[in-house]
Amino acid sequence: MPRHRARLLCIASLFVIALGAPAALATEGYDPWPGLVQDIFSNRPMNDGSDVIGIEMPARAEDAAIVPVTLRTKLSPSDSRRVVAITLVIDENPAPMAAKFTLGPDANVSEISTRVRVNNYTNVHAVAELSDGKLYVSKVYVKASGGCSAPAAKNLEEAKNRLGQMRYRQFAKPEQGPASSTREAQIMIGHPNNSGLQMDQVTQLYIPAFFVNELHIWQDDSPVLAMEGGISISEDPNIRFTYVSNGAKHVRAEAKDTDGHVFEHEWKVENPGT
C-alpha cells in the first residue's frame, strides 16, 4: 500500500473513533487493489483471466500461517501465446506481493503450488503475463487472519540447523510415457522465512525479517521456474510444480535469502527417458 494511502487510512480511523463510531467502519468499503495495480504493475490494463489463469485457495484457512495456494494456467493448447510470468498478490498483507513466478520458455509449467501467510480477510489475486505483453487477472476471497505475525513452528536453534537444507521429490508415474510428457516435482527449502512481524516469545522483541527472496530451478541447463519471494511465503518454502521434461538427467536448484546466503543442490532425475 502506498505510504500516503496508509497515512490517510490511519487519520480516517482516528477521526471515526473520535466521533464514537466503531473503528471497523473506518476501513469499510476500502479496496486496496487499484493502488496495488498502480504500485506493482505500473497501472497496466488488467484483463479478465478466467480463461487464462486459475487460483485455488481454501475459503476459510485452517492455519493462517500455512495457507495452500495453487496457480494453474488455463490457455487452450491451440493458443499460440504462452504464460511468461505469474504474480501472486495477497491484497491485505503488509507486503502484498507474495511471489512472482517466471516460467521457463521451454518448460511448459502449467501448475504451481505453495503455502502462504494470510494476515487479514482478503482478496487474493493471480496475475498472468502472457507473451503478447498483456496481463490477465483472477481472484479468490480468503478468510484468515494473523498469519504474518504467527509464531514460528520451529525454535530458533532448530531453524538454524535446518537452514538451507533442500529436498527434491519427483512424482512421475510409469504411465506418463515419453520424456516429453508432463511431470510433477517438489522442492522444499529449510528456512524460517521470518516475516519481521513475529515476536520472540522469550525476549518479547520482534524477530527481524529474514526470508528466501530468490529461487531458480533448471532441468540440466534449461530454466524451469524462477521465484521472487516475499514475507508472505510460509516457513520452510515448499514449491510444487508441473513441467514438461526435456529428457534431462538432473534437476538443479539455487536459492538466495535476504542475508545473502546462497543454497544450491542438484538431484538425479529418476527415469529421465520415461
Short mmCIF file of all heavy atoms in Angstrom, two decimals, residues 108-176:
data_model
loop_
_atom_site.label_atom_id
_atom_site.label_comp_id
_atom_site.label_asym_id
_atom_site.label_seq_id
_atom_site.Cartn_x
_atom_site.Cartn_y
_atom_site.Cartn_z
N ASN A 108 7.08 -25.36 -20.20
CA ASN A 108 5.62 -25.56 -20.21
C ASN A 108 5.06 -25.82 -18.81
O ASN A 108 4.27 -26.74 -18.60
CB ASN A 108 5.22 -26.70 -21.14
CG ASN A 108 5.50 -26.37 -22.60
OD1 ASN A 108 5.11 -25.32 -23.09
ND2 ASN A 108 6.20 -27.27 -23.28
N VAL A 109 5.49 -25.00 -17.86
CA VAL A 109 4.96 -25.11 -16.49
C VAL A 109 3.47 -24.76 -16.52
O VAL A 109 3.08 -23.70 -17.00
CB VAL A 109 5.71 -24.17 -15.53
CG1 VAL A 109 5.05 -24.16 -14.16
CG2 VAL A 109 7.17 -24.60 -15.41
N SER A 110 2.65 -25.66 -16.01
CA SER A 110 1.20 -25.43 -16.06
C SER A 110 0.55 -25.32 -14.69
O SER A 110 -0.61 -24.92 -14.59
CB SER A 110 0.52 -26.56 -16.85
OG SER A 110 0.83 -27.83 -16.27
N GLU A 111 1.29 -25.65 -13.62
CA GLU A 111 0.71 -25.59 -12.28
C GLU A 111 1.81 -25.35 -11.25
O GLU A 111 2.88 -25.94 -11.33
CB GLU A 111 -0.02 -26.89 -11.97
CG GLU A 111 -0.85 -26.88 -10.71
CD GLU A 111 -1.69 -28.15 -10.58
OE1 GLU A 111 -2.45 -28.46 -11.52
OE2 GLU A 111 -1.58 -28.82 -9.54
N ILE A 112 1.52 -24.46 -10.31
CA ILE A 112 2.45 -24.15 -9.22
C ILE A 112 1.66 -24.14 -7.92
O ILE A 112 0.62 -23.47 -7.84
CB ILE A 112 3.14 -22.79 -9.42
CG1 ILE A 112 3.87 -22.72 -10.76
CG2 ILE A 112 4.11 -22.50 -8.27
CD1 ILE A 112 4.33 -21.31 -11.13
N SER A 113 2.16 -24.84 -6.93
CA SER A 113 1.52 -24.82 -5.61
C SER A 113 2.55 -24.44 -4.55
O SER A 113 3.72 -24.83 -4.64
CB SER A 113 0.94 -26.20 -5.26
OG SER A 113 -0.09 -26.57 -6.17
N THR A 114 2.10 -23.67 -3.56
CA THR A 114 2.96 -23.32 -2.44
C THR A 114 2.09 -23.05 -1.23
O THR A 114 0.88 -23.32 -1.25
CB THR A 114 3.87 -22.12 -2.79
OG1 THR A 114 4.83 -21.93 -1.74
CG2 THR A 114 3.08 -20.85 -3.00
N ARG A 115 2.69 -22.51 -0.16
CA ARG A 115 1.95 -22.19 1.06
C ARG A 115 2.28 -20.75 1.45
O ARG A 115 3.45 -20.34 1.38
CB ARG A 115 2.34 -23.14 2.20
CG ARG A 115 2.13 -24.61 1.87
CD ARG A 115 2.63 -25.51 2.97
NE ARG A 115 4.04 -25.26 3.26
CZ ARG A 115 4.77 -25.97 4.11
NH1 ARG A 115 4.21 -26.98 4.76
NH2 ARG A 115 6.03 -25.69 4.33
N VAL A 116 1.27 -20.01 1.86
CA VAL A 116 1.46 -18.59 2.14
C VAL A 116 0.86 -18.20 3.48
O VAL A 116 0.03 -18.92 4.05
CB VAL A 116 0.83 -17.70 1.04
CG1 VAL A 116 1.53 -17.92 -0.29
CG2 VAL A 116 -0.67 -17.96 0.92
N ARG A 117 1.30 -17.05 3.98
CA ARG A 117 0.71 -16.43 5.16
C ARG A 117 -0.38 -15.45 4.72
O ARG A 117 -0.19 -14.71 3.77
CB ARG A 117 1.78 -15.68 5.95
CG ARG A 117 2.91 -16.56 6.47
CD ARG A 117 3.97 -15.70 7.16
NE ARG A 117 4.94 -16.50 7.87
CZ ARG A 117 6.25 -16.51 7.61
NH1 ARG A 117 6.75 -15.74 6.65
NH2 ARG A 117 7.07 -17.26 8.32
N VAL A 118 -1.49 -15.47 5.43
CA VAL A 118 -2.58 -14.52 5.16
C VAL A 118 -2.86 -13.77 6.45
O VAL A 118 -3.17 -14.37 7.48
CB VAL A 118 -3.84 -15.25 4.66
CG1 VAL A 118 -4.98 -14.25 4.45
CG2 VAL A 118 -3.54 -15.99 3.35
N ASN A 119 -2.76 -12.44 6.40
CA ASN A 119 -2.83 -11.65 7.63
C ASN A 119 -4.22 -11.15 7.99
O ASN A 119 -4.50 -10.91 9.16
CB ASN A 119 -1.88 -10.45 7.52
CG ASN A 119 -1.29 -10.07 8.86
OD1 ASN A 119 -0.77 -10.93 9.57
ND2 ASN A 119 -1.38 -8.80 9.23
N ASN A 120 -5.08 -10.97 6.98
CA ASN A 120 -6.45 -10.49 7.21
C ASN A 120 -7.38 -11.12 6.20
O ASN A 120 -6.93 -11.65 5.17
CB ASN A 120 -6.52 -8.96 7.05
CG ASN A 120 -5.75 -8.22 8.10
OD1 ASN A 120 -6.06 -8.28 9.28
ND2 ASN A 120 -4.71 -7.50 7.67
N TYR A 121 -8.68 -11.06 6.47
CA TYR A 121 -9.65 -11.45 5.45
C TYR A 121 -9.33 -10.63 4.20
O TYR A 121 -9.22 -9.39 4.28
CB TYR A 121 -11.07 -11.14 5.90
CG TYR A 121 -11.65 -12.08 6.93
CD1 TYR A 121 -10.84 -12.79 7.82
CD2 TYR A 121 -13.02 -12.26 7.03
CE1 TYR A 121 -11.38 -13.66 8.76
CE2 TYR A 121 -13.58 -13.12 7.98
CZ TYR A 121 -12.75 -13.81 8.83
OH TYR A 121 -13.29 -14.66 9.77
N THR A 122 -9.22 -11.28 3.05
CA THR A 122 -8.67 -10.57 1.91
C THR A 122 -9.01 -11.21 0.57
O THR A 122 -9.25 -12.42 0.49
CB THR A 122 -7.12 -10.50 2.04
OG1 THR A 122 -6.57 -9.72 0.97
CG2 THR A 122 -6.50 -11.89 2.00
N ASN A 123 -8.99 -10.40 -0.48
CA ASN A 123 -8.93 -10.92 -1.84
C ASN A 123 -7.49 -11.33 -2.13
O ASN A 123 -6.54 -10.67 -1.66
CB ASN A 123 -9.36 -9.85 -2.85
CG ASN A 123 -10.86 -9.66 -2.89
OD1 ASN A 123 -11.63 -10.62 -2.82
ND2 ASN A 123 -11.30 -8.41 -2.99
N VAL A 124 -7.34 -12.38 -2.89
CA VAL A 124 -6.02 -12.81 -3.36
C VAL A 124 -6.08 -12.86 -4.88
O VAL A 124 -6.96 -13.51 -5.44
CB VAL A 124 -5.63 -14.19 -2.79
CG1 VAL A 124 -4.25 -14.59 -3.28
CG2 VAL A 124 -5.66 -14.17 -1.26
N HIS A 125 -5.17 -12.15 -5.54
CA HIS A 125 -5.17 -12.05 -6.99
C HIS A 125 -4.01 -12.84 -7.60
O HIS A 125 -2.90 -12.84 -7.05
CB HIS A 125 -5.05 -10.59 -7.44
CG HIS A 125 -6.28 -9.77 -7.20
ND1 HIS A 125 -6.56 -9.17 -5.99
CD2 HIS A 125 -7.31 -9.45 -8.04
CE1 HIS A 125 -7.71 -8.52 -6.09
NE2 HIS A 125 -8.18 -8.66 -7.31
N ALA A 126 -4.26 -13.49 -8.72
CA ALA A 126 -3.21 -14.10 -9.54
C ALA A 126 -3.20 -13.36 -10.87
O ALA A 126 -4.23 -13.29 -11.55
CB ALA A 126 -3.49 -15.58 -9.76
N VAL A 127 -2.06 -12.81 -11.22
CA VAL A 127 -1.94 -12.03 -12.45
C VAL A 127 -0.96 -12.74 -13.39
O VAL A 127 0.21 -12.94 -13.03
CB VAL A 127 -1.45 -10.60 -12.16
CG1 VAL A 127 -1.28 -9.82 -13.47
CG2 VAL A 127 -2.41 -9.88 -11.23
N ALA A 128 -1.46 -13.15 -14.54
CA ALA A 128 -0.62 -13.82 -15.53
C ALA A 128 -0.20 -12.83 -16.61
O ALA A 128 -1.05 -12.11 -17.15
CB ALA A 128 -1.38 -14.99 -16.15
N GLU A 129 1.08 -12.79 -16.89
CA GLU A 129 1.59 -12.00 -18.01
C GLU A 129 1.84 -12.95 -19.18
O GLU A 129 2.55 -13.95 -19.03
CB GLU A 129 2.87 -11.28 -17.66
CG GLU A 129 3.42 -10.46 -18.82
CD GLU A 129 4.60 -9.59 -18.46
OE1 GLU A 129 5.01 -9.60 -17.27
OE2 GLU A 129 5.13 -8.91 -19.36
N LEU A 130 1.23 -12.66 -20.32
CA LEU A 130 1.36 -13.52 -21.49
C LEU A 130 2.43 -13.00 -22.43
O LEU A 130 2.89 -11.86 -22.32
CB LEU A 130 0.02 -13.64 -22.21
CG LEU A 130 -0.84 -14.86 -21.78
CD1 LEU A 130 -1.10 -14.86 -20.29
CD2 LEU A 130 -2.14 -14.91 -22.55
N SER A 131 2.81 -13.84 -23.36
CA SER A 131 3.88 -13.50 -24.30
C SER A 131 3.49 -12.35 -25.23
O SER A 131 4.36 -11.77 -25.89
CB SER A 131 4.26 -14.73 -25.13
OG SER A 131 3.11 -15.33 -25.71
N ASP A 132 2.19 -12.00 -25.26
CA ASP A 132 1.78 -10.84 -26.05
C ASP A 132 1.87 -9.55 -25.24
O ASP A 132 1.49 -8.47 -25.72
CB ASP A 132 0.36 -11.02 -26.60
CG ASP A 132 -0.69 -11.15 -25.51
OD1 ASP A 132 -0.34 -11.02 -24.31
OD2 ASP A 132 -1.87 -11.39 -25.84
N GLY A 133 2.38 -9.65 -24.01
CA GLY A 133 2.57 -8.47 -23.18
C GLY A 133 1.37 -8.05 -22.37
O GLY A 133 1.46 -7.10 -21.58
N LYS A 134 0.23 -8.74 -22.47
CA LYS A 134 -0.97 -8.36 -21.75
C LYS A 134 -1.05 -9.09 -20.41
O LYS A 134 -0.49 -10.17 -20.24
CB LYS A 134 -2.21 -8.67 -22.60
CG LYS A 134 -2.30 -7.85 -23.88
CD LYS A 134 -3.57 -8.17 -24.66
CE LYS A 134 -3.66 -7.32 -25.93
NZ LYS A 134 -4.88 -7.63 -26.71
N LEU A 135 -1.78 -8.45 -19.47
CA LEU A 135 -1.96 -9.02 -18.14
C LEU A 135 -3.39 -9.50 -17.97
O LEU A 135 -4.35 -8.84 -18.40
CB LEU A 135 -1.66 -7.96 -17.07
CG LEU A 135 -0.26 -7.36 -17.06
CD1 LEU A 135 -0.15 -6.32 -15.94
CD2 LEU A 135 0.81 -8.43 -16.90
N TYR A 136 -3.53 -10.66 -17.32
CA TYR A 136 -4.84 -11.27 -17.08
C TYR A 136 -4.93 -11.64 -15.60
O TYR A 136 -4.00 -12.20 -15.04
CB TYR A 136 -5.03 -12.51 -17.96
CG TYR A 136 -5.07 -12.19 -19.43
CD1 TYR A 136 -3.88 -12.01 -20.15
CD2 TYR A 136 -6.28 -12.04 -20.10
CE1 TYR A 136 -3.92 -11.69 -21.50
CE2 TYR A 136 -6.32 -11.73 -21.45
CZ TYR A 136 -5.14 -11.55 -22.14
OH TYR A 136 -5.17 -11.23 -23.48
N VAL A 137 -6.08 -11.33 -14.97
CA VAL A 137 -6.20 -11.48 -13.53
C VAL A 137 -7.40 -12.33 -13.13
O VAL A 137 -8.47 -12.26 -13.74
CB VAL A 137 -6.26 -10.10 -12.84
CG1 VAL A 137 -7.48 -9.30 -13.30
CG2 VAL A 137 -6.24 -10.24 -11.32
N SER A 138 -7.20 -13.15 -12.10
CA SER A 138 -8.26 -13.90 -11.44
C SER A 138 -8.11 -13.67 -9.94
O SER A 138 -7.04 -13.31 -9.46
CB SER A 138 -8.16 -15.40 -11.74
OG SER A 138 -8.39 -15.65 -13.11
N LYS A 139 -9.19 -13.90 -9.18
CA LYS A 139 -9.09 -13.68 -7.74
C LYS A 139 -9.98 -14.65 -6.97
O LYS A 139 -10.94 -15.21 -7.51
CB LYS A 139 -9.47 -12.24 -7.38
CG LYS A 139 -10.95 -11.92 -7.52
CD LYS A 139 -11.25 -10.51 -7.04
CE LYS A 139 -12.75 -10.19 -7.16
NZ LYS A 139 -13.06 -8.84 -6.67
N VAL A 140 -9.63 -14.83 -5.69
CA VAL A 140 -10.45 -15.57 -4.74
C VAL A 140 -10.48 -14.75 -3.44
O VAL A 140 -9.65 -13.85 -3.24
CB VAL A 140 -9.91 -16.99 -4.46
CG1 VAL A 140 -9.99 -17.85 -5.70
CG2 VAL A 140 -8.47 -16.93 -3.93
N TYR A 141 -11.43 -15.08 -2.58
CA TYR A 141 -11.51 -14.41 -1.28
C TYR A 141 -11.20 -15.44 -0.20
O TYR A 141 -11.74 -16.55 -0.22
CB TYR A 141 -12.90 -13.83 -1.05
CG TYR A 141 -13.01 -12.98 0.20
CD1 TYR A 141 -12.49 -11.70 0.23
CD2 TYR A 141 -13.64 -13.49 1.34
CE1 TYR A 141 -12.59 -10.92 1.38
CE2 TYR A 141 -13.74 -12.71 2.49
CZ TYR A 141 -13.22 -11.42 2.50
OH TYR A 141 -13.31 -10.65 3.64
N VAL A 142 -10.33 -15.07 0.73
CA VAL A 142 -9.89 -16.00 1.78
C VAL A 142 -10.14 -15.39 3.15
O VAL A 142 -9.80 -14.23 3.40
CB VAL A 142 -8.38 -16.32 1.63
CG1 VAL A 142 -7.92 -17.24 2.75
CG2 VAL A 142 -8.10 -16.95 0.28
N LYS A 143 -10.74 -16.18 4.02
CA LYS A 143 -10.96 -15.77 5.40
C LYS A 143 -9.86 -16.37 6.27
O LYS A 143 -9.81 -17.58 6.50
CB LYS A 143 -12.33 -16.24 5.88
CG LYS A 143 -13.50 -15.58 5.16
CD LYS A 143 -14.83 -16.08 5.69
CE LYS A 143 -16.00 -15.40 4.98
NZ LYS A 143 -17.31 -15.88 5.50
N ALA A 144 -8.95 -15.51 6.71
CA ALA A 144 -7.85 -15.92 7.59
C ALA A 144 -7.30 -14.65 8.23
O ALA A 144 -7.46 -13.56 7.68
CB ALA A 144 -6.76 -16.64 6.81
N SER A 145 -6.63 -14.79 9.36
CA SER A 145 -6.06 -13.61 10.00
C SER A 145 -4.89 -13.99 10.89
O SER A 145 -4.86 -15.09 11.45
CB SER A 145 -7.12 -12.86 10.82
OG SER A 145 -7.63 -13.67 11.85
N GLY A 146 -3.92 -13.09 10.97
CA GLY A 146 -2.78 -13.27 11.86
C GLY A 146 -1.65 -14.10 11.33
O GLY A 146 -0.70 -14.40 12.06
N GLY A 147 -1.69 -14.48 10.06
CA GLY A 147 -0.67 -15.38 9.53
C GLY A 147 0.73 -14.80 9.51
O GLY A 147 1.71 -15.52 9.70
N CYS A 148 0.85 -13.49 9.29
CA CYS A 148 2.18 -12.89 9.18
C CYS A 148 2.86 -12.70 10.53
O CYS A 148 4.08 -12.57 10.61
CB CYS A 148 2.10 -11.55 8.45
SG CYS A 148 1.64 -11.71 6.70
N SER A 149 2.07 -12.66 11.61
CA SER A 149 2.64 -12.47 12.94
C SER A 149 2.62 -13.75 13.77
O SER A 149 3.06 -13.75 14.92
CB SER A 149 1.88 -11.38 13.68
OG SER A 149 0.51 -11.70 13.78
N ALA A 150 2.13 -14.86 13.21
CA ALA A 150 2.06 -16.13 13.95
C ALA A 150 3.46 -16.60 14.32
O ALA A 150 4.39 -16.51 13.51
CB ALA A 150 1.36 -17.18 13.11
N PRO A 151 3.67 -17.09 15.54
CA PRO A 151 5.00 -17.57 15.95
C PRO A 151 5.49 -18.68 15.04
O PRO A 151 4.69 -19.45 14.48
CB PRO A 151 4.75 -18.09 17.37
CG PRO A 151 3.51 -17.40 17.84
CD PRO A 151 2.67 -17.22 16.62
N ALA A 152 6.80 -18.77 14.90
CA ALA A 152 7.40 -19.82 14.07
C ALA A 152 7.09 -21.19 14.66
O ALA A 152 6.99 -21.35 15.88
CB ALA A 152 8.90 -19.62 13.98
N ALA A 153 6.93 -22.18 13.79
CA ALA A 153 6.64 -23.54 14.25
C ALA A 153 7.86 -24.18 14.89
O ALA A 153 7.74 -25.05 15.75
CB ALA A 153 6.16 -24.38 13.08
N LYS A 154 9.05 -23.75 14.47
CA LYS A 154 10.29 -24.32 14.99
C LYS A 154 11.01 -23.29 15.83
O LYS A 154 10.93 -22.09 15.57
CB LYS A 154 11.18 -24.79 13.84
CG LYS A 154 10.55 -25.87 12.97
CD LYS A 154 11.45 -26.23 11.82
CE LYS A 154 10.82 -27.34 10.98
NZ LYS A 154 9.57 -26.90 10.34
N ASN A 155 11.75 -23.75 16.85
CA ASN A 155 12.52 -22.80 17.65
C ASN A 155 13.74 -22.33 16.85
O ASN A 155 14.09 -22.91 15.81
CB ASN A 155 12.93 -23.41 18.99
CG ASN A 155 13.82 -24.65 18.84
OD1 ASN A 155 14.74 -24.68 18.03
ND2 ASN A 155 13.54 -25.67 19.64
N LEU A 156 14.40 -21.29 17.35
CA LEU A 156 15.48 -20.66 16.59
C LEU A 156 16.63 -21.63 16.33
O LEU A 156 17.23 -21.62 15.25
CB LEU A 156 15.98 -19.42 17.33
CG LEU A 156 14.99 -18.26 17.43
CD1 LEU A 156 15.57 -17.12 18.25
CD2 LEU A 156 14.61 -17.77 16.02
N GLU A 157 16.95 -22.47 17.31
CA GLU A 157 18.07 -23.40 17.15
C GLU A 157 17.75 -24.45 16.09
O GLU A 157 18.60 -24.78 15.24
CB GLU A 157 18.38 -24.08 18.48
CG GLU A 157 19.67 -24.88 18.48
CD GLU A 157 20.90 -24.02 18.21
OE1 GLU A 157 20.89 -22.83 18.58
OE2 GLU A 157 21.85 -24.55 17.60
N GLU A 158 16.54 -24.97 16.12
CA GLU A 158 16.13 -25.96 15.12
C GLU A 158 16.12 -25.34 13.73
O GLU A 158 16.57 -25.95 12.76
CB GLU A 158 14.76 -26.53 15.46
CG GLU A 158 14.31 -27.64 14.51
CD GLU A 158 12.94 -28.19 14.87
OE1 GLU A 158 12.35 -27.76 15.88
OE2 GLU A 158 12.45 -29.06 14.11
N ALA A 159 15.60 -24.12 13.64
CA ALA A 159 15.56 -23.43 12.34
C ALA A 159 16.98 -23.20 11.81
O ALA A 159 17.24 -23.35 10.62
CB ALA A 159 14.82 -22.11 12.48
N LYS A 160 17.90 -22.85 12.72
CA LYS A 160 19.28 -22.61 12.31
C LYS A 160 19.92 -23.89 11.77
O LYS A 160 20.65 -23.87 10.78
CB LYS A 160 20.08 -22.09 13.51
CG LYS A 160 21.53 -21.77 13.20
CD LYS A 160 22.24 -21.23 14.43
CE LYS A 160 23.70 -20.95 14.14
NZ LYS A 160 24.41 -20.42 15.35
N ASN A 161 19.64 -25.01 12.42
CA ASN A 161 20.22 -26.29 11.98
C ASN A 161 19.69 -26.74 10.63
O ASN A 161 20.36 -27.47 9.91
CB ASN A 161 19.95 -27.37 13.03
CG ASN A 161 20.71 -27.14 14.33
OD1 ASN A 161 21.73 -26.45 14.34
ND2 ASN A 161 20.21 -27.68 15.43
N ARG A 162 18.46 -26.32 10.30
CA ARG A 162 17.84 -26.72 9.03
C ARG A 162 18.09 -25.71 7.92
O ARG A 162 17.68 -25.94 6.78
CB ARG A 162 16.33 -26.88 9.23
CG ARG A 162 15.93 -28.09 10.04
CD ARG A 162 14.45 -28.06 10.38
NE ARG A 162 13.62 -27.77 9.22
CZ ARG A 162 13.21 -28.66 8.33
NH1 ARG A 162 13.59 -29.92 8.46
NH2 ARG A 162 12.45 -28.32 7.32
N LEU A 163 18.73 -24.60 8.23
CA LEU A 163 18.87 -23.52 7.26
C LEU A 163 19.53 -23.99 5.97
O LEU A 163 20.63 -24.53 5.98
CB LEU A 163 19.69 -22.38 7.87
CG LEU A 163 19.78 -21.11 7.03
CD1 LEU A 163 18.42 -20.42 6.95
CD2 LEU A 163 20.82 -20.15 7.61
N GLY A 164 18.82 -23.79 4.87
CA GLY A 164 19.38 -24.09 3.56
C GLY A 164 19.29 -25.53 3.13
O GLY A 164 19.67 -25.87 1.99
N GLN A 165 18.80 -26.42 3.98
CA GLN A 165 18.63 -27.81 3.57
C GLN A 165 17.56 -27.88 2.47
O GLN A 165 16.48 -27.31 2.62
CB GLN A 165 18.23 -28.69 4.75
CG GLN A 165 19.32 -28.86 5.79
CD GLN A 165 18.88 -29.79 6.91
OE1 GLN A 165 17.86 -30.46 6.83
NE2 GLN A 165 19.67 -29.83 7.98
N MET A 166 17.88 -28.56 1.37
CA MET A 166 16.97 -28.63 0.24
C MET A 166 16.64 -30.08 -0.07
O MET A 166 17.52 -30.95 -0.05
CB MET A 166 17.58 -27.94 -0.99
CG MET A 166 17.97 -26.49 -0.74
SD MET A 166 18.79 -25.72 -2.15
CE MET A 166 17.38 -25.38 -3.20
N ARG A 167 15.36 -30.31 -0.33
CA ARG A 167 14.91 -31.65 -0.71
C ARG A 167 14.13 -31.58 -2.01
O ARG A 167 13.48 -30.58 -2.31
CB ARG A 167 14.04 -32.26 0.39
CG ARG A 167 14.79 -32.61 1.66
CD ARG A 167 13.94 -33.45 2.58
NE ARG A 167 12.74 -32.73 3.03
CZ ARG A 167 11.63 -33.31 3.45
NH1 ARG A 167 11.52 -34.64 3.43
NH2 ARG A 167 10.61 -32.59 3.85
N TYR A 168 14.19 -32.68 -2.74
CA TYR A 168 13.51 -32.75 -4.05
C TYR A 168 12.70 -34.04 -4.11
O TYR A 168 13.18 -35.10 -3.71
CB TYR A 168 14.56 -32.72 -5.17
CG TYR A 168 14.02 -33.03 -6.55
CD1 TYR A 168 13.33 -32.07 -7.28
CD2 TYR A 168 14.21 -34.29 -7.13
CE1 TYR A 168 12.85 -32.34 -8.55
CE2 TYR A 168 13.72 -34.56 -8.40
CZ TYR A 168 13.04 -33.59 -9.10
OH TYR A 168 12.56 -33.87 -10.36
N ARG A 169 11.47 -33.90 -4.59
CA ARG A 169 10.63 -35.09 -4.79
C ARG A 169 10.12 -35.06 -6.22
O ARG A 169 9.78 -34.01 -6.76
CB ARG A 169 9.45 -35.09 -3.83
CG ARG A 169 9.82 -35.28 -2.37
CD ARG A 169 8.58 -35.28 -1.50
NE ARG A 169 7.73 -36.43 -1.79
CZ ARG A 169 6.47 -36.56 -1.36
NH1 ARG A 169 5.92 -35.60 -0.65
NH2 ARG A 169 5.77 -37.64 -1.64
N GLN A 170 10.06 -36.23 -6.80
CA GLN A 170 9.56 -36.37 -8.17
C GLN A 170 8.33 -37.26 -8.14
O GLN A 170 8.29 -38.28 -7.46
CB GLN A 170 10.65 -37.00 -9.04
CG GLN A 170 10.26 -37.20 -10.49
CD GLN A 170 11.40 -37.80 -11.29
OE1 GLN A 170 12.49 -37.22 -11.32
NE2 GLN A 170 11.17 -38.95 -11.88
N PHE A 171 7.30 -36.84 -8.86
CA PHE A 171 6.04 -37.55 -8.83
C PHE A 171 5.69 -38.19 -10.18
O PHE A 171 4.54 -38.39 -10.50
CB PHE A 171 4.91 -36.61 -8.41
CG PHE A 171 5.12 -36.01 -7.04
CD1 PHE A 171 5.76 -34.79 -6.90
CD2 PHE A 171 4.70 -36.67 -5.90
CE1 PHE A 171 5.96 -34.24 -5.65
CE2 PHE A 171 4.89 -36.13 -4.64
CZ PHE A 171 5.53 -34.90 -4.52
N ALA A 172 6.72 -38.48 -10.98
CA ALA A 172 6.48 -39.10 -12.28
C ALA A 172 5.80 -40.45 -12.11
O ALA A 172 6.13 -41.22 -11.20
CB ALA A 172 7.79 -39.25 -13.04
N LYS A 173 4.88 -40.74 -12.99
CA LYS A 173 4.16 -42.01 -12.95
C LYS A 173 4.58 -42.87 -14.14
O LYS A 173 4.85 -42.36 -15.22
CB LYS A 173 2.66 -41.78 -12.97
CG LYS A 173 2.17 -40.96 -11.78
CD LYS A 173 0.69 -40.66 -11.89
CE LYS A 173 0.21 -39.81 -10.72
NZ LYS A 173 -1.23 -39.47 -10.85
N PRO A 174 4.64 -44.19 -13.96
CA PRO A 174 5.09 -45.07 -15.05
C PRO A 174 4.30 -44.89 -16.33
O PRO A 174 4.84 -45.00 -17.42
CB PRO A 174 4.89 -46.48 -14.46
CG PRO A 174 4.91 -46.28 -12.99
CD PRO A 174 4.30 -44.94 -12.74
N GLU A 175 3.01 -44.57 -16.22
CA GLU A 175 2.17 -44.48 -17.42
C GLU A 175 2.30 -43.14 -18.14
O GLU A 175 1.62 -42.89 -19.12
CB GLU A 175 0.71 -44.72 -17.05
CG GLU A 175 0.10 -43.67 -16.13
CD GLU A 175 0.25 -44.02 -14.66
OE1 GLU A 175 1.12 -44.85 -14.35
OE2 GLU A 175 -0.50 -43.47 -13.85
N GLN A 176 3.21 -42.27 -17.64
CA GLN A 176 3.32 -40.96 -18.26
C GLN A 176 3.96 -41.00 -19.64
O GLN A 176 3.85 -40.05 -20.38
CB GLN A 176 4.10 -40.01 -17.35
CG GLN A 176 3.25 -39.45 -16.21
CD GLN A 176 3.99 -38.41 -15.42
OE1 GLN A 176 5.15 -38.61 -15.04
NE2 GLN A 176 3.35 -37.30 -15.14
#
